[in-house]
Amino acid sequence: MIIRILPAVAVALLALSACDNKPTEVTNVAPDPMASVLANKAPIELPPSIKADVSLRCKDNSLAFVTFFDGDKQVLVKTSKNGTPVKLTADKAGDPLKADGYEMTGNPKAVTLTEPGKPAQLCKVG
């Protein structure tokens, strides 16, 4: 019986000795095909966060709903509660915000608002 097992053990040992027991090392040596494109892209500017969302009473007794954003270069203006917002922008903080015949200057407590076809008027909170 032992004589029959010896050849099987010898074959198994021979098979095991032929194995390479070194751990395989995985590396990524391929260059990133988008690396140059990404390196030359302009930096991404995230949209500003909301600074204040106010309703203002204007001199002619109308209402204006204004959403102010951080950075003071963008606002959304609505002339009715459920109206379509108009995005007013400026190149620099402190410049008048303009778009589509609208112009606005001010802060979340009081603004001077010019709407299309209307003269400029002061609008205040409360």
Side-chain angles (χ1 to χ4, degrees):
M1 183 82 152
I2 293 179
I3 296 176
R4 289 186 186 171
I5 295 176
L6 279 178
V9 169
V11 169
L13 287 174
L14 181 64
L16 286 175
S17 67
C19 291
D20 186 13
N21 292 332
K22 295 180 184 174
T24 57
E25 185 176 325
V26 178
T27 61
N28 182 8
V29 292
D32 183 4
M34 296 291 291
S36 63
V37 174
L38 295 174
N40 295 329
K41 281 201 163 243
I44 296 172
E45 186 176 333
L46 296 174
S49 59
I50 293 176
K51 179 173 157 179
D53 196 13
V54 296
S55 57
L56 306 160
R57 175 74 61 185
C58 297
K59 190 174 182 179
D60 69 354
N61 212 26
S62 64
L63 292 174
F65 302 91
V66 182
T67 303
F68 290 86
F69 292 91
D70 281 334
D72 299 326
K73 296 190 290 183
Q74 175 180 324
V75 296
L76 294 178
V77 175
K78 296 188 294 185
T79 54
S80 66
K81 183 99 172 138
N82 296 323
T84 303
V86 178
K87 180 180 173 182
L88 309 181
T89 58
D91 291 333
K92 295 186 304 183
D95 286 352
L97 300 147
K98 300 178 181 180
D100 300 331
Y102 287 85
E103 185 172 327
M104 192 188 92
T105 58
N107 57 47
K109 294 184 180 183
V111 300
T112 301
L113 179 64
T114 304
E115 297 177 57
K118 293 184 178 181
Q121 60 180 335
L122 181 63
C123 303
K124 295 181 181 180
V125 173

